[in-house]
Amino acid sequence: MSARVLVVDDVPANVRLLEARLSAEYFDVLTASNGAQALETCARAECDIILLDVMMPDMDGFEVCRRLKANPATHFIPVVMITALDNPSDRVRGLEAGADDFLTKPVSDVVLTARVRSLTRLKMMTDELRLRAMTSLEIGMQAPEREAVCDSGKGGRILLVDDRPSSYERLASMLSAEHAVDVEADPSEALFRAAESNYDLLIVSLGLENFDGLRLCSQARSLERTRHVPILAVADADGSPRLLRGLEIGINDYLLRPIDRNELLARARTQIRRRRYTVHLRDNVASSIEMAVTDGLTGLHNRRYMESHLTTLAEQASLRGQSLALMMLDIDYFKAINDNYGHDAGDDVLREFALRIRKAIRGIDLACRYGGEEFVIVMPETDLHVAGMVAERLRRAIAGEPFSIHKGTKLIKVTISIGLSTLERKGEPISDVVKRADVALYRAKHDGRNRVVAEAA
């Protein structure tokens, strides 16, 4: 897996050393000798991850990191701070500035490579989500970056998996200052519990008595409902080899005992912020996809969706030797409703009409707004006789009860005309079926409206 790594250090020897290590692992390496250069490179979106020295002139690493994380355009770039400072307070300061990790010199090649690979995988996944979510911006939805910048990372829901009371009581006490914490002492139940609830973070002890903590982490990554929940592993001081293996299978971060309270809280906040950001991205993607195939006014599928699925439905019907009916509907004198009562009244009628359509059809039927006041209903496994009965029932439901407009202050009578057709033979182009339904609709309107007309081939 190749990625562009930006190394930021004012000491040329340190830069050359990191560049050699990373190049040997097939990473593309960019360099900067000060904070200003680093910010400029990141603003041009030229890197996937940043290895940032703390002690630099003019602008130290803490300030560089703080600026990167405060900028919505660079907030999502992972930052690993590398320094000779080894006090817990220094690590906490870096994490509170927004760093994704804080490594102390000298950093082993294995640890460095594992951490870079892990964060790069995360960055690439986030980049894919961000790319898909760009459509959301084009349709007016708010990008999540600004929310992420302001998110404190507090108020999360955490599941702590640990079977040693002395350990989980202490950890839960530390975490409960900022989060809601559930403790699960039985590892075999932890996965079910995690899958059933919407947790923001899993904290897993790798020192479980009768269970392999890494296996639990791996299982969490394999389940759809827990695949994207961040995992923070807790290990004893001599657990580095297992932690490196954990990074390979998908844990997001780790802590070594003895646990510093402030560092635990800082790492938990980092993971929860990232979780909320990616959830927001996924929601934006899902919403943009839904909006792309849904009519915003009625909530029914739009014409684009119908046309993309109609051929498939027809092919399935032909292969299975089943019938397929198509119903084209038009609201009678809809222009007069807009002219006499206003476009708001017309919108009220369209929304109510869509609700009545939903009540009249089955779950397998496909209802779409074809355009304006025209609608199409596709009915699999339905012959012309049954489709005619459904169409007549729908016509009566529309004509039999007036429509409420202007927030219920006025009732008006509405009727519809319906044209019907069916798939007549195997392999028949679905466009012919649509055309026959359109012709039938025209006849229904020509013959006086408020009626159902079927058109055979």
mmCIF file of all heavy atoms in Angstrom, residues 236-256:
data_model
loop_
_atom_site.group_PDB
_atom_site.id
_atom_site.type_symbol
_atom_site.label_atom_id
_atom_site.label_comp_id
_atom_site.label_asym_id
_atom_site.label_seq_id
_atom_site.Cartn_x
_atom_site.Cartn_y
_atom_site.Cartn_z
ATOM 1 N N ASP A 236 -0.203 -4.596 28.386
ATOM 2 C CA ASP A 236 0.878 -4.430 29.357
ATOM 3 C C ASP A 236 2.103 -3.857 28.654
ATOM 4 O O ASP A 236 2.200 -3.871 27.416
ATOM 5 C CB ASP A 236 1.214 -5.771 30.004
ATOM 6 C CG ASP A 236 0.054 -6.289 30.850
ATOM 7 O OD1 ASP A 236 -0.661 -5.451 31.437
ATOM 8 O OD2 ASP A 236 -0.156 -7.518 30.894
ATOM 9 N N ALA A 237 3.042 -3.368 29.431
ATOM 10 C CA ALA A 237 4.211 -2.689 28.870
ATOM 11 C C ALA A 237 5.012 -3.568 27.928
ATOM 12 O O ALA A 237 5.691 -3.071 27.020
ATOM 13 C CB ALA A 237 5.101 -2.179 29.998
ATOM 14 N N ASP A 238 4.979 -4.900 28.125
ATOM 15 C CA ASP A 238 5.750 -5.811 27.269
ATOM 16 C C ASP A 238 4.907 -6.357 26.115
ATOM 17 O O ASP A 238 5.274 -7.358 25.501
ATOM 18 C CB ASP A 238 6.306 -6.971 28.096
ATOM 19 C CG ASP A 238 5.201 -7.762 28.789
ATOM 20 O OD1 ASP A 238 4.025 -7.340 28.715
ATOM 21 O OD2 ASP A 238 5.520 -8.801 29.405
ATOM 22 N N GLY A 239 3.792 -5.709 25.806
ATOM 23 C CA GLY A 239 2.880 -6.240 24.797
ATOM 24 C C GLY A 239 3.038 -5.665 23.413
ATOM 25 O O GLY A 239 2.131 -5.786 22.592
ATOM 26 N N SER A 240 4.167 -5.056 23.116
ATOM 27 C CA SER A 240 4.345 -4.405 21.816
ATOM 28 C C SER A 240 4.142 -5.323 20.618
ATOM 29 O O SER A 240 3.478 -4.932 19.645
ATOM 30 C CB SER A 240 5.722 -3.740 21.744
ATOM 31 O OG SER A 240 5.783 -2.667 22.658
ATOM 32 N N PRO A 241 4.704 -6.556 20.608
ATOM 33 C CA PRO A 241 4.484 -7.415 19.443
ATOM 34 C C PRO A 241 2.999 -7.675 19.170
ATOM 35 O O PRO A 241 2.561 -7.681 18.021
ATOM 36 C CB PRO A 241 5.225 -8.709 19.825
ATOM 37 C CG PRO A 241 6.269 -8.274 20.800
ATOM 38 C CD PRO A 241 5.638 -7.177 21.576
ATOM 39 N N ARG A 242 2.220 -7.890 20.216
ATOM 40 C CA ARG A 242 0.790 -8.132 20.034
ATOM 41 C C ARG A 242 0.080 -6.858 19.540
ATOM 42 O O ARG A 242 -0.858 -6.934 18.748
ATOM 43 C CB ARG A 242 0.156 -8.621 21.337
ATOM 44 C CG ARG A 242 0.487 -10.089 21.626
ATOM 45 C CD ARG A 242 -0.018 -10.529 22.987
ATOM 46 N NE ARG A 242 -1.450 -10.329 23.172
ATOM 47 C CZ ARG A 242 -2.404 -11.087 22.617
ATOM 48 N NH1 ARG A 242 -2.059 -12.085 21.798
ATOM 49 N NH2 ARG A 242 -3.680 -10.849 22.853
ATOM 50 N N LEU A 243 0.549 -5.716 20.013
ATOM 51 C CA LEU A 243 -0.053 -4.471 19.563
ATOM 52 C C LEU A 243 0.199 -4.243 18.076
ATOM 53 O O LEU A 243 -0.677 -3.783 17.345
ATOM 54 C CB LEU A 243 0.494 -3.299 20.369
ATOM 55 C CG LEU A 243 -0.076 -3.135 21.779
ATOM 56 C CD1 LEU A 243 0.672 -2.052 22.524
ATOM 57 C CD2 LEU A 243 -1.559 -2.797 21.714
ATOM 58 N N LEU A 244 1.399 -4.563 17.617
ATOM 59 C CA LEU A 244 1.709 -4.421 16.198
ATOM 60 C C LEU A 244 0.821 -5.334 15.358
ATOM 61 O O LEU A 244 0.335 -4.951 14.297
ATOM 62 C CB LEU A 244 3.185 -4.726 15.939
ATOM 63 C CG LEU A 244 4.179 -3.746 16.580
ATOM 64 C CD1 LEU A 244 5.599 -4.214 16.344
ATOM 65 C CD2 LEU A 244 3.977 -2.344 16.024
ATOM 66 N N ARG A 245 0.603 -6.528 15.857
ATOM 67 C CA ARG A 245 -0.316 -7.449 15.173
ATOM 68 C C ARG A 245 -1.733 -6.873 15.182
ATOM 69 O O ARG A 245 -2.470 -6.966 14.202
ATOM 70 C CB ARG A 245 -0.289 -8.814 15.883
ATOM 71 C CG ARG A 245 -1.212 -9.848 15.280
ATOM 72 C CD ARG A 245 -0.751 -10.259 13.904
ATOM 73 N NE ARG A 245 -1.593 -11.295 13.365
ATOM 74 C CZ ARG A 245 -2.036 -11.317 12.112
ATOM 75 N NH1 ARG A 245 -1.702 -10.344 11.281
ATOM 76 N NH2 ARG A 245 -2.795 -12.292 11.683
ATOM 77 N N GLY A 246 -2.102 -6.241 16.301
ATOM 78 C CA GLY A 246 -3.410 -5.627 16.392
ATOM 79 C C GLY A 246 -3.606 -4.511 15.386
ATOM 80 O O GLY A 246 -4.690 -4.369 14.797
ATOM 81 N N LEU A 247 -2.579 -3.701 15.171
ATOM 82 C CA LEU A 247 -2.672 -2.643 14.175
ATOM 83 C C LEU A 247 -2.901 -3.216 12.784
ATOM 84 O O LEU A 247 -3.605 -2.626 11.963
ATOM 85 C CB LEU A 247 -1.399 -1.786 14.190
ATOM 86 C CG LEU A 247 -1.211 -0.878 15.407
ATOM 87 C CD1 LEU A 247 0.179 -0.273 15.410
ATOM 88 C CD2 LEU A 247 -2.273 0.227 15.430
ATOM 89 N N GLU A 248 -2.315 -4.374 12.518
ATOM 90 C CA GLU A 248 -2.497 -5.012 11.210
ATOM 91 C C GLU A 248 -3.920 -5.498 11.010
ATOM 92 O O GLU A 248 -4.449 -5.464 9.894
ATOM 93 C CB GLU A 248 -1.523 -6.189 11.065
ATOM 94 C CG GLU A 248 -0.060 -5.778 10.964
ATOM 95 C CD GLU A 248 0.867 -6.981 10.912
ATOM 96 O OE1 GLU A 248 0.350 -8.115 10.899
ATOM 97 O OE2 GLU A 248 2.087 -6.791 10.892
ATOM 98 N N ILE A 249 -4.571 -5.972 12.092
ATOM 99 C CA ILE A 249 -5.923 -6.515 11.926
ATOM 100 C C ILE A 249 -7.003 -5.447 12.110
ATOM 101 O O ILE A 249 -8.181 -5.738 11.927
ATOM 102 C CB ILE A 249 -6.192 -7.689 12.892
ATOM 103 C CG1 ILE A 249 -6.153 -7.208 14.348
ATOM 104 C CG2 ILE A 249 -5.218 -8.816 12.659
ATOM 105 C CD1 ILE A 249 -6.522 -8.296 15.332
ATOM 106 N N GLY A 250 -6.595 -4.213 12.479
ATOM 107 C CA GLY A 250 -7.574 -3.140 12.440
ATOM 108 C C GLY A 250 -7.855 -2.373 13.703
ATOM 109 O O GLY A 250 -8.790 -1.572 13.727
ATOM 110 N N ILE A 251 -7.068 -2.571 14.807
ATOM 111 C CA ILE A 251 -7.302 -1.694 15.951
ATOM 112 C C ILE A 251 -6.837 -0.292 15.574
ATOM 113 O O ILE A 251 -5.926 -0.117 14.761
ATOM 114 C CB ILE A 251 -6.595 -2.184 17.235
ATOM 115 C CG1 ILE A 251 -5.076 -2.046 17.132
ATOM 116 C CG2 ILE A 251 -6.991 -3.600 17.595
ATOM 117 C CD1 ILE A 251 -4.360 -2.275 18.449
ATOM 118 N N ASN A 252 -7.485 0.702 16.137
ATOM 119 C CA ASN A 252 -7.209 2.084 15.748
ATOM 120 C C ASN A 252 -6.138 2.760 16.588
ATOM 121 O O ASN A 252 -5.425 3.648 16.119
ATOM 122 C CB ASN A 252 -8.496 2.910 15.826
ATOM 123 C CG ASN A 252 -9.569 2.391 14.906
ATOM 124 O OD1 ASN A 252 -10.233 1.423 15.224
ATOM 125 N ND2 ASN A 252 -9.725 3.004 13.760
ATOM 126 N N ASP A 253 -6.046 2.363 17.867
ATOM 127 C CA ASP A 253 -5.093 3.017 18.758
ATOM 128 C C ASP A 253 -4.837 2.085 19.930
ATOM 129 O O ASP A 253 -5.527 1.074 20.112
ATOM 130 C CB ASP A 253 -5.653 4.352 19.242
ATOM 131 C CG ASP A 253 -4.564 5.310 19.723
ATOM 132 O OD1 ASP A 253 -3.384 4.909 19.740
ATOM 133 O OD2 ASP A 253 -4.894 6.446 20.090
ATOM 134 N N TYR A 254 -3.835 2.425 20.737
ATOM 135 C CA TYR A 254 -3.503 1.562 21.872
ATOM 136 C C TYR A 254 -2.897 2.382 23.002
ATOM 137 O O TYR A 254 -2.423 3.507 22.806
ATOM 138 C CB TYR A 254 -2.532 0.454 21.450
ATOM 139 C CG TYR A 254 -1.212 0.960 20.916
ATOM 140 C CD1 TYR A 254 -0.165 1.283 21.783
ATOM 141 C CD2 TYR A 254 -1.004 1.101 19.546
ATOM 142 C CE1 TYR A 254 1.054 1.740 21.289
ATOM 143 C CE2 TYR A 254 0.204 1.562 19.046
ATOM 144 C CZ TYR A 254 1.226 1.884 19.923
ATOM 145 O OH TYR A 254 2.418 2.347 19.449
ATOM 146 N N LEU A 255 -2.916 1.787 24.182
ATOM 147 C CA LEU A 255 -2.291 2.356 25.370
ATOM 148 C C LEU A 255 -1.547 1.256 26.101
ATOM 149 O O LEU A 255 -2.014 0.109 26.160
ATOM 150 C CB LEU A 255 -3.357 2.947 26.307
ATOM 151 C CG LEU A 255 -3.847 4.371 26.011
ATOM 152 C CD1 LEU A 255 -5.092 4.660 26.840
ATOM 153 C CD2 LEU A 255 -2.765 5.385 26.317
ATOM 154 N N LEU A 256 -0.407 1.608 26.668
ATOM 155 C CA LEU A 256 0.365 0.667 27.481
ATOM 156 C C LEU A 256 0.173 0.994 28.961
ATOM 157 O O LEU A 256 0.097 2.157 29.352
ATOM 158 C CB LEU A 256 1.856 0.745 27.125
ATOM 159 C CG LEU A 256 2.240 0.335 25.698
ATOM 160 C CD1 LEU A 256 3.732 0.557 25.473
ATOM 161 C CD2 LEU A 256 1.877 -1.112 25.425
#
